[in-house]
Amino acid sequence: MPSPALPESARVVVIGGGVGGMSVAYHLAEQGERDVVVVDRAELTSGSTFHSAGLVGQLRSDPTLTRMNVYSVELYRALEAGEHPVGWRESGGIKLASSPERLQEIRRQISWARTFDLTLHEISPAEAAQRFPLVDLDGVVGAAYLESDGYLDPSQLTYALAAGARANGVHVAQHTRVTGIGTDAGRVSVVRTDRGDIACEVVVNCAGLFAAEIGRLVGVRIPIVPMAHQYLITEPFRTREDPALPTLRDPDNLVYFRQEVDGLLMGGYERDPAPWTATPHSYDAVPSDFNGRLLAEDWPRFEQIAANAQRRVPVMGEVGLRRMINGPEAFTPDNEFCLGETAVPGFFVAAGFCAHGIAGAGGIGRLMAEWITQGEPSMDVSHMDISRFGQQYRSPGHTLARTVEAYRRYYDIPYPGLQREAGRPLRRSPAFEWHRRHGARFAEKSGWERVDWYDTNAGPVDGARPTGWAGRYWSPAIAAEHRATREVAGLFDESSFAKIEVTGAGAAEFLQWVCDNDVARRVGDVTYTQALNEHGGIEADFTVTRLAAGAFLIVTGTGSAAHDLAWLRRQAERRAGDDVRIGDVTGATCCYALWGPRSRDILQSVTPSDLGNEAFPYLTAQELTVGDVPARAQRVTFVGELGWEIYASSEYGATLWETLWDAGRPFGLVAGGYRAIESMRLEKGYRAWGTDLTGETTPYEAGLGFCVKLDKAFLGRAALVAAKAAGLQRRLRAIVLDDPSFVVLGAEPVRVDGQVVGRVTSGGLGYTLDASLAYAYLPVDAKPGTQVELDLFGKWVGGEVVAEPLFDPAGTRVRGTGP
């Protein structure tokens, strides 16, 4: 039978007929978008979907991904009960702890589960064996069980989604190869195929292994690497009368299991992974005829996994093997999905599923459909947004190194502070060599080498120190640097902070629209503000300095640099009438922060400019010289102390640092790292984007209502007006734990009167207060004085909601008017 004619136009073209593409199409149709065409180079599921193991585990370390997976299970249940079942087996899932450290992780995950109403609970090794009788418990110290986990047939799922999409008018064109993508005025306008062209407004790249290749057709870099992932299926050895088995994961031994009819399916994540087709000097080159195919079996590389599997499930060494599956899966450099709109307007991507795409497919489809039809997703997916990847990922070598490391560490315990090693060092401050000579302990963020602390500052422990996970990557130098800054002054290298210039005749009008605060003030004024989405959620959090009538400088965090830059450019594209240019000047400019009660004295000793309160007020910027270096100083702080951030062209960076250091030594200046900054900002109550602030939290909820200027128009204003009229339901609150030896890591549930009412956003030790601090969104009636409990690794620890800021509540130190 000849294929149906290819439509000449559609509003949305989805490229890829795997589980991702069909989920996007299904949910687009569910949300009312009927003018959709799906094209696939071969048959549906002929990419990586057909060889997926099909496990669906819901609980992850990330709240958004957990919610996405929970929705997936709800969808799979509904599909299973419908006209097109998906082979869903809600078998339950067991996660084993084969080490005390893993048991700690399990207990931490159990505490997360409380905030999602997931019935994850700890079970004994004996109960694990009762539910999965084939297991050998040697070395097992504990386990967790989630009854709603399961598995399904990925191909059946894809065809069920396709049937639902077709029923709602979606056109599915198989054996249709994309040969090009055209643009009009920079926006996607046509998809070219070997069967004809399709004019369109939106393209969604769900091409899986071929996603990076499709991206290159429109000049977009999608940093994914196909990785060979293997699993095997045994011959049948169980009877139909045997009870069904739950899924089983033993991450300490790198293996997973599930029932496969009357046998077992077993796979894992080996320590010597094999990237496929990508090299350090070339992008992926998946063969054009690689459809519905597998790679050759690689038994030598599977030996470690096979040995671990036999150790944990001895029958694996006795039963026959029906087949080995070696199929490439698209992995990203951080094991997170690649979702969202790219730098080319109208060109979206949903790829890089990292072997857990079946669990997330339902949630991916729903969020991507929202993104396309409503302009933004309903959940905070900034850490999955493709815009998070900086320009360094244009390098095939850097992408490959980071992705191979991510695969190798797939089952590793994500200890806070644990550093990645691949692709380092890459981005370095002009003062990098000075830091290294003076004992810096570096941590990497967005490719930057940043000082966490200096080992040379470590001394005897004085006061509280973290225990457990929080103390694993910790040094007494952190407390020393914190206290020295509070007592004298600290010098910090913030060159990694993103610097974004917004210029042009329309720059002021544009920034007034994207910022909730009034940023179009006098030249030299510095304004702290948020940028909101349509729901009033905080998309970005930064300072804006007016440099000239049509020139502004945005300074934002290292980790949010790529996201904020892409988001601003996207808003500028949507406001096409504005005369505005947005440029990243991060690498061209160094930035050093000098903070503390003696900071004015130190800086004054090397500049002729008057640094007094009247001559140089708080939240202003001025051009000056520091020694022989031309610079701009901004009187801002992220630690709650008097001080300045000092900016200069990067070629002056080494000299500027040495000038400040030499000037400060007679005063007792200490060089410090980001861990000291973090502890001081917690004491002062300054919010951190990505934890305390997200696209799902409003300024009012975050206690930042003072930034909101409702007397002007701005993106998200209508949502804030409605939220204000309805009244707040929750508020970010500060908590002091009763026992300072307990330190939160983030995401711990918080309960009041035995009821879980919130989740920790951030926290840590405050060394001036000698207290363990936490922040959490709690009901508005949980006011200061409210007694709370926090679940830390299965132990409920007491605490009290307190008024903030805890440190210098009058703000006299910041303004230079107090001690």
Side-chain angles (χ1 to χ4, degrees):
M1 178 181 294
S3 300
L6 192 69
E8 295 182 356
S9 66
R11 196 179 98 76
V12 182
V13 175
V14 178
I15 301 174
V19 68
M22 293 317 310
S23 183
V24 170
Y26 174 92
H27 285 91
L28 281 169
E30 285 282 298
Q31 294 181 27
E33 182 59 70
R34 300 292 193 263
D35 193 10
V36 180
V37 173
V38 179
V39 296
D40 191 274
R41 62 194 295 119
E43 302 282 342
L44 300 186
T45 80
S46 60
S48 55
T49 298
F50 84 94
H51 59 70
S52 169
L55 278 75
V56 179
Q58 297 165 84
L59 188 67
R60 305 285 170 162
S61 59
D62 166 52
T64 296
L65 184 54
T66 298
R67 289 155 63 197
M68 291 167 66
N69 292 353
V70 168
Y71 168 75
S72 292
V73 167
E74 294 171 356
L75 174 66
Y76 302 160
R77 284 192 196 121
L79 291 173
E80 183 67 20
E83 185 178 352
H84 302 281
V86 298
W88 172 242
R89 298 292 181 268
E90 199 157 316
S91 60
I94 295 173
K95 181 176 181 178
L96 298 177
S98 297
S99 66
E101 293 81 7
R102 188 69 65 175
L103 184 57
Q104 287 290 93
E105 182 196 37
I106 282 177
R107 287 172 176 165
R108 179 163 161 74
Q109 290 178 321
I110 290 171
S111 74
W112 287 330
R114 300 180 197 277
T115 66
F116 298 105
D117 293 326
L118 286 173
T119 55
L120 180 73
H121 57 275
E122 185 173 344
I123 60 176
S124 67
E127 186 175 351
Q130 183 180 9
R131 293 180 181 275
F132 199 104
L134 303 175
V135 71
D136 185 314
L137 295 175
D138 182 40
V140 175
V141 296
Y145 178 70
L146 181 56
E147 62 185 8
S148 55
D149 276 355
Y151 59 92
L152 48 63
D153 184 315
S155 294
Q156 283 184 242
L157 171 61
T158 304
Y159 280 101
L161 292 168
R166 286 189 177 107
N168 279 321
V170 173
H171 183 100
V172 179
Q174 301 179 84
H175 300 286
T176 305
R177 188 179 296 264
V178 173
T179 59
I181 298 173
T183 60
D184 182 11
R187 184 179 183 88
V188 293
S189 59
V190 62
V191 172
R192 298 188 176 94
T193 79
D194 57 359
R195 295 180 54 207
D197 294 352
I198 309 172
C200 59
E201 299 175 21
V202 173
V203 175
V204 192
N205 179 0
C206 301
L209 299 175
F210 296 93
E213 177 183 325
I214 294 297
R216 291 195 289 272
L217 295 177
V218 72
V220 169
R221 173 65 172 145
I222 299 172
I224 62 173
V225 173
M227 301 289 294
H229 183 72
Q230 298 187 107
Y231 65 85
L232 56 80
I233 299 172
T234 72
E235 294 286 358
F237 66 92
R238 306 179 77 241
T239 68
R240 297 299 172 93
E241 289 72 33
D242 291 332
L245 296 174
T247 63
L248 180 72
R249 291 177 175 85
D250 184 358
D252 288 311
N253 283 299
L254 310 175
V255 294
Y256 61 79
F257 303 83
R258 75 163 173 84
Q259 186 170 327
E260 174 67 11
V261 192
D262 294 332
L264 285 179
L265 178 154
M266 182 278 290
Y269 294 87
E270 63 279 5
R271 294 298 189 187
D272 58 339
W276 181 60
T277 76
T279 76
H281 306 293
S282 64
Y283 296 128
D284 54 283
V286 180
S288 60
D289 62 349
F290 195 82
N291 305 309
R293 292 169 54 189
L294 296 170
L295 304 178
E297 299 173 353
D298 189 350
W299 283 101
R301 191 168 56 83
F302 202 66
E303 283 181 0
Q304 179 188 18
I305 299 298
N308 290 352
Q310 292 179 33
R311 185 181 307 115
R312 185 55 65 219
V313 179
V315 71
M316 293 297 298
E318 304 168 6
V319 301
L321 302 181
R322 192 170 67 181
R323 66 182 305 199
M324 160 79 84
I325 305 295
N326 186 5
E329 298 268 4
F331 275 75
T332 66
D334 58 5
N335 278 337
E336 297 278 9
F337 302 147
C338 259
L339 308 179
E341 190 173 13
T342 69
V344 176
F347 187 73
F348 289 77
V349 62
F353 291 170
C354 305
H356 54 267
I358 299 301
I364 290 169
R366 183 172 72 168
L367 289 178
M368 288 299 300
E370 292 171 350
W371 219 324
I372 294 162
T373 61
Q374 302 170 31
E376 56 195 34
S378 60
M379 298 182 189
D380 173 37
V381 290
S382 55
H383 54 299
M384 304 179 196
D385 193 328
I386 187 172
S387 67
R388 72 188 183 272
F389 291 111
Q391 292 298 307
Q392 63 267 31
Y393 288 99
R394 292 170 55 188
S395 160
H398 189 73
T399 302
L400 179 63
R402 300 289 281 189
T403 304
V404 168
E405 182 185 45
Y407 185 103
R408 181 183 296 122
R409 292 186 171 191
Y410 192 89
Y411 270 152
D412 283 4
I413 297 174
Y415 295 115
L418 177 65
Q419 289 298 302
R420 299 190 61 181
E421 299 172 0
R424 297 177 60 183
L426 182 63
R427 306 174 78 180
R428 290 177 257 187
S429 157
F432 174 81
E433 292 300 333
W434 189 98
H435 301 322
R436 185 157 60 179
R437 290 196 309 270
H438 287 78
R441 182 67 60 93
F442 291 102
E444 180 269 335
K445 195 166 191 177
S446 297
W448 281 95
E449 296 295 326
R450 311 195 322 163
V451 178
D452 253 3
W453 66 78
Y454 295 87
D455 286 332
T456 48
N457 288 331
V461 177
D462 179 18
R465 64 165 297 163
T467 58
W469 279 22
R472 180 176 285 265
Y473 297 101
W474 181 86
S475 167
I478 301 168
E481 293 164 8
H482 171 124
R483 293 189 175 113
T485 304
R486 290 275 192 246
E487 295 165 6
V488 181
L491 183 62
F492 302 88
D493 188 344
E494 292 188 325
S495 297
S496 68
F497 273 31
K499 281 86 67 178
I500 301 169
E501 283 189 347
V502 181
T503 58
E509 182 180 356
F510 170 71
L511 286 174
Q512 285 289 82
W513 169 250
V514 299
C515 297
D516 60 356
N517 208 338
D518 180 10
V519 299
R521 299 180 178 179
R522 297 170 303 176
V523 172
D525 279 354
V526 181
T527 306
Y528 171 54
T529 185
Q530 295 76 49
L532 311 180
N533 56 36
E534 291 283 1
H535 303 300
I538 300 171
E539 281 293 330
D541 178 74
F542 44 61
T543 60
V544 179
T545 302
R546 190 165 198 171
L547 304 177
F552 296 80
L553 177 71
I554 291 174
V555 178
T556 189
T558 307
S560 56
H563 168 273
D564 290 3
L565 182 65
W567 190 86
L568 287 165
R569 286 175 170 166
R570 195 171 300 137
Q571 304 316 308
E573 188 274 332
R574 291 171 179 170
R575 290 172 56 88
D578 288 341
D579 176 10
V580 61
R581 292 172 295 281
I582 300 171
D584 182 2
V585 296
T586 303
T589 310
C590 64
C591 174
Y592 306 134
L594 176 63
W595 292 316
R598 300 301 302 274
S599 61
R600 178 182 280 132
D601 299 328
I602 295 169
L603 186 56
Q604 190 69 79
S605 72
V606 287
T607 183
S609 299
D610 186 350
L611 303 179
N613 282 340
E614 291 187 9
F616 204 142
Y618 178 54
L619 292 179
T620 64
Q622 293 183 23
E623 302 290 330
L624 44 66
T625 58
V626 179
D628 296 332
V629 176
R632 183 181 61 257
Q634 299 192 169
R635 194 172 158 194
V636 296
T637 179
F638 197 53
V639 300
E641 295 289 347
L642 170 70
W644 286 262
E645 290 179 346
I646 304 166
Y647 298 80
S649 186
S650 287
E651 72 268 25
Y652 295 105
T655 300
L656 176 59
W657 179 272
E658 291 166 359
T659 300
L660 291 168
W661 174 249
D662 290 342
R665 290 181 69 184
F667 295 87
L669 176 69
V670 169
Y674 279 85
R675 296 286 289 276
I677 293 176
E678 172 68 7
S679 66
M680 287 185 279
R681 78 95 188 164
L682 287 168
E683 290 185 334
K684 188 60 178 173
Y686 292 145
R687 283 30 176 162
W689 190 83
T691 54
D692 306 318
L693 311 177
T694 73
E696 296 184 57
T697 56
T698 71
Y700 293 133
E701 293 172 325
L704 300 176
F706 64 89
C707 292
V708 178
K709 301 298 184 285
L710 292 178
D711 58 349
K712 73 181 185 76
F714 59 87
L715 180 62
R717 180 184 182 279
L720 288 191
V721 170
K724 190 173 184 179
L728 283 182
Q729 301 300 309
R730 62 175 186 164
R731 174 73 186 270
L732 187 64
R733 296 290 191 186
I735 300 168
V736 174
L737 277 65
D738 294 342
D739 186 341
S741 67
F742 289 98
V743 178
V744 300
L745 305 174
E748 292 88 351
V750 182
R751 71 182 184 186
V752 176
D753 296 330
Q755 180 75 31
V756 172
V757 295
R759 182 189 307 121
V760 169
T761 58
S762 67
L765 283 178
Y767 300 102
T768 301
L769 302 173
D770 199 26
S772 181
L773 311 176
Y775 287 84
Y777 284 93
L778 303 177
V780 291
D781 57 359
K783 297 179 180 179
T786 301
Q787 299 299 306
V788 301
E789 293 178 296
L790 300 86
D791 185 353
L792 275 69
F793 297 95
K795 178 181 178 63
W796 288 101
V797 177
E800 181 180 346
V801 176
V802 295
E804 55 171 329
L806 288 82
F807 176 77
D808 187 27
T812 58
R813 295 171 72 99
V814 170
R815 289 171 173 78
T817 58

